[in-house]
Amino acid sequence: MNTAALTSVFVRLKLSLLRNGLRQSSGRTAVYVVSAVVSILLAALLLLGLILLRGTDHAASLLVLLIAVLAVGWAFMPLFFPGGDETLDPTRLVMLPLRPRPLVVALLVASLVGIGPVFTLCVIVGAAVAVAHGAAGVVLAVLAVPLALTLCLALARAVATANVRLLTSRKGRDLAVLSGLVIAVGAQVVNLGAQRLNSAGGLSALDPAGNVVRWLPPASAIGAVSSASEGAYGRAAVQLLLSAAALAALLYAWQRMLVKLMTAPDGSTLAASGPTRKESSQGLSRLLPEGRTGTVMQRSLRYVWRDPKTKAAWVTSLAVGLILPLLNAIQGSGSIYFACFAAGLLGVQMYNQFGQDTSAFWMVALTISSPRDAYLELRARAFALLVVTLPYATLVTLLTAAVLHDWHALPETLGLSFALLGAMLAVGAVASARFPYSVPQTGNKNVAPGQTGLALISMFGGMFGAAVLCAPVLALTLWLHLSGAASATWVLLPLGAAYGALITWAGLRVAAPRVASRLPEILVAVSRG
């Protein structure tokens, strides 16, 4: 089959996949139509806004940065949403007699079908129109627009092909968990950049970054249009050639990866050679204490690493706990006390400790025959959380103090963080015993149907309880400041650490008998998902 015929087949295949997907449910059709309409309207508004930048000083710096961000989005989105385009997985074509070069062309043309390419085309056209002046600029714009669009599509395809084994595995699908986090972090970075740009007094603040990015494909294609419009034809030719060379290199690398992917066997088709390796006792297990405590700690930490929903909760808490105090500090509107959010957000992970076990909790229940066993189980889970939380909370507080240059308040902030963490662990242990609920392993819900009330009581009641338990340390902090003894606030560090340890011990002691006496009820509650 020649290239033209194969391309026609793949375009029709892409349209058929899209049409059949929309036929699955009316809800999916409605979501797609609404997203398409919103995306097209947004693209039209963005196109109009970019065209209005025409003639604006320093607009070229903004536009090359915009195209660079767009290319980064195309590179990362296949990693986060591998199921969004079924043609991204070339392993489905392994059994077909297809040659690599026609396949590359067919897949690349088929990539033009979709909302994303239309949106990208509008942005690139708007950027080219905004910087194109004179006949040379228009000619370069005609060449730069399809070149930049093709580069974005080829980049996405090459990245997806290089990681297709990962994307179709369990660990690869876990990457989608991070997509919301990346979007949230990106939004904060954009917000910070906009504020800095506004305070700098105009687009001229982007010139240093723009002068570098205009030489990086595909932004160099738009940079070529700007250079040609300024009369710098030699520079424009080099920038355009950079984008063309990058496209050629991407297509060649993509073709080589397709050949390897479709001809080399993967691990599932190779017989295991040599004796089966036993799990090594090296690594993390060597650093943990022996006995039940070390075993439970290792199990809890493995949940964090392997269970998608547990991992999502931890990654979100880690990121938000770092971003919130640091971004506020960088913007000049923060306080070092915001660093306490790091301890508070990770302390929430102590709530509903048995829910992450789901129906497997029965194996844990078999090892608990007394309040002493329950205490050891809860204590080990708290230790596992502290392994991460204590150094993390300390690091966030140090970074916040460094940004704000508020080293005097560092000891008292650390003391408050440790006291808050201890209170969260104590209340979380009691809430785990009193209000357990199941976390469904499939779908986007974090609470099983019918248990929303339990989850709300556990979460908000626990937060209120932690606030009450922290009141003595907070009251002492306020008294030291109001009484003029601010120089003595360093005592809050040892006092807060000791108080946090004491309140954690008390909470575990209170929760242990309840866990031991309510094992059947806890097992039923956490097994509903």
Side-chain angles (χ1 to χ4, degrees):
M1 183 179 293
N2 59 37
T3 303
L6 184 62
T7 301
S8 176
V9 169
F10 269 79
V11 172
R12 293 199 304 271
L13 174 62
K14 182 72 174 288
L15 293 172
S16 297
L17 289 172
L18 179 60
R19 182 174 60 252
N20 293 337
L22 296 178
R23 286 177 177 175
Q24 291 181 4
S25 67
S26 58
R28 185 169 181 174
T29 302
V31 170
Y32 182 83
V33 171
V34 171
S35 61
V37 171
V38 172
S39 298
I40 292 174
L41 289 176
L42 181 61
L45 292 175
L46 190 56
L47 174 62
L48 178 61
L50 293 176
I51 293 175
L52 291 177
L53 287 175
R54 183 178 175 83
T56 303
D57 294 335
H58 310 287
S61 297
L62 171 65
L63 296 172
V64 295
L65 290 173
L66 177 62
I67 300 303
V69 171
L70 198 63
V72 171
W74 273 100
F76 280 96
M77 284 305 104
L79 299 178
F80 292 137
F81 304 105
D85 185 354
E86 297 182 25
T87 62
L88 285 174
D89 185 4
T91 58
R92 301 186 181 194
L93 310 173
V94 169
M95 302 304 294
L96 299 177
L98 302 174
R99 298 184 66 82
R101 184 169 297 177
L103 182 60
V104 166
V105 176
L107 288 173
L108 188 61
V109 175
S111 300
L112 293 170
V113 178
I115 301 174
V118 174
F119 181 87
T120 304
L121 178 62
C122 291
V123 174
I124 296 175
V125 168
V129 171
V131 296
H133 300 282
V138 173
V139 171
L140 263 294
V142 172
L143 298 175
V145 169
L147 180 59
L149 177 61
T150 307
L151 245 175
C152 290
L153 298 177
L155 179 61
R157 286 287 180 171
V159 170
T161 302
N163 295 277
V164 68
R165 300 290 190 199
L166 173 66
L167 296 179
T168 53
S169 67
R170 177 184 61 83
K171 290 184 179 180
R173 289 191 293 270
D174 290 349
L175 284 172
V177 169
L178 305 177
S179 58
L181 176 62
V182 171
I183 293 173
V185 174
Q188 290 296 327
V189 172
V190 170
N191 178 50
L192 179 61
Q195 292 185 7
R196 286 294 182 90
L197 185 63
N198 184 53
S199 62
L203 297 177
S204 59
L206 298 176
D207 285 345
N211 291 334
V212 175
V213 173
R214 70 174 63 244
W215 293 97
L216 302 177
S220 61
I222 300 302
V225 179
S226 175
S227 298
S229 300
E230 296 171 0
Y233 303 120
R235 187 175 66 192
V238 172
Q239 290 171 324
L240 193 65
L241 285 175
L242 282 174
S243 290
L247 178 59
L250 267 179
L251 293 177
Y252 177 75
W254 181 20
Q255 180 179 323
R256 292 292 301 271
M257 286 185 286
L258 280 175
V259 172
K260 183 178 180 180
L261 187 65
M262 301 178 73
T263 57
D266 61 3
S268 63
T269 61
L270 295 175
S273 59
T276 303
R277 294 186 305 172
K278 294 183 180 179
E279 185 175 358
S280 174
S281 60
Q282 302 291 324
L284 179 62
S285 59
R286 185 182 58 182
L287 303 176
L288 300 177
E290 297 181 356
R292 181 184 186 122
T293 299
T295 302
V296 175
M297 289 179 66
Q298 189 171 10
R299 184 184 69 223
S300 298
L301 293 173
R302 281 182 175 175
Y303 274 144
V304 175
W305 183 251
R306 295 183 178 180
D307 181 66
K309 291 198 173 181
T310 305
K311 181 189 294 185
W314 272 81
V315 169
T316 302
S317 298
L318 288 169
V320 176
L322 177 66
I323 292 170
L324 184 62
L326 285 185
L327 276 184
N328 280 280
I330 291 172
Q331 293 172 359
S333 59
S335 166
I336 190 173
Y337 298 109
F338 283 1
C340 293
F341 277 103
L345 288 172
L346 283 185
V348 172
Q349 307 307 318
M350 188 65 186
Y351 290 64
N352 194 35
Q353 271 294 302
F354 307 122
Q356 65 183 1
D357 297 346
T358 61
S359 58
F361 177 70
W362 70 269
M363 292 187 290
V364 177
L366 291 176
T367 67
I368 299 176
S369 59
S370 65
R372 174 66 178 172
D373 292 334
Y375 171 76
L376 293 176
E377 175 75 23
L378 288 170
R379 187 186 67 177
R381 292 178 183 241
F383 282 166
L385 195 146
L386 288 171
V387 166
V388 178
T389 307
L390 278 179
Y392 172 77
T394 303
L395 176 63
V396 172
T397 307
L398 285 171
L399 291 175
T400 307
V403 173
L404 293 172
H405 303 289
D406 192 3
W407 297 106
H408 177 74
L410 177 62
E412 63 181 280
T413 306
L414 280 175
L416 286 171
S417 294
F418 294 155
L420 174 62
L421 179 59
M424 298 290 282
L425 293 179
V427 177
V430 176
S432 297
R434 295 289 297 175
F435 308 107
Y437 57 90
S438 178
V439 179
Q441 295 301 294
T442 58
N444 297 321
K445 295 182 178 179
N446 291 320
V447 182
Q451 293 186 324
T452 305
L454 282 174
L456 292 176
I457 293 174
S458 174
M459 186 63 62
F460 292 104
M463 289 182 178
F464 176 77
V468 172
L469 291 178
C470 280
V473 180
L474 183 59
L476 177 60
T477 305
L478 293 174
W479 181 79
L480 288 174
H481 281 280
L482 294 176
S483 63
S487 59
T489 54
W490 64 267
V491 301
L492 289 169
L493 177 54
L495 288 178
Y499 181 79
L502 178 63
I503 203 67
T504 299
W505 173 82
L508 297 177
R509 284 294 183 185
V510 171
R514 288 166 172 76
V515 171
S517 63
R518 300 187 71 247
L519 279 177
E521 293 91 334
I522 295 174
L523 181 58
V524 171
V526 301
S527 301
R528 292 186 58 178

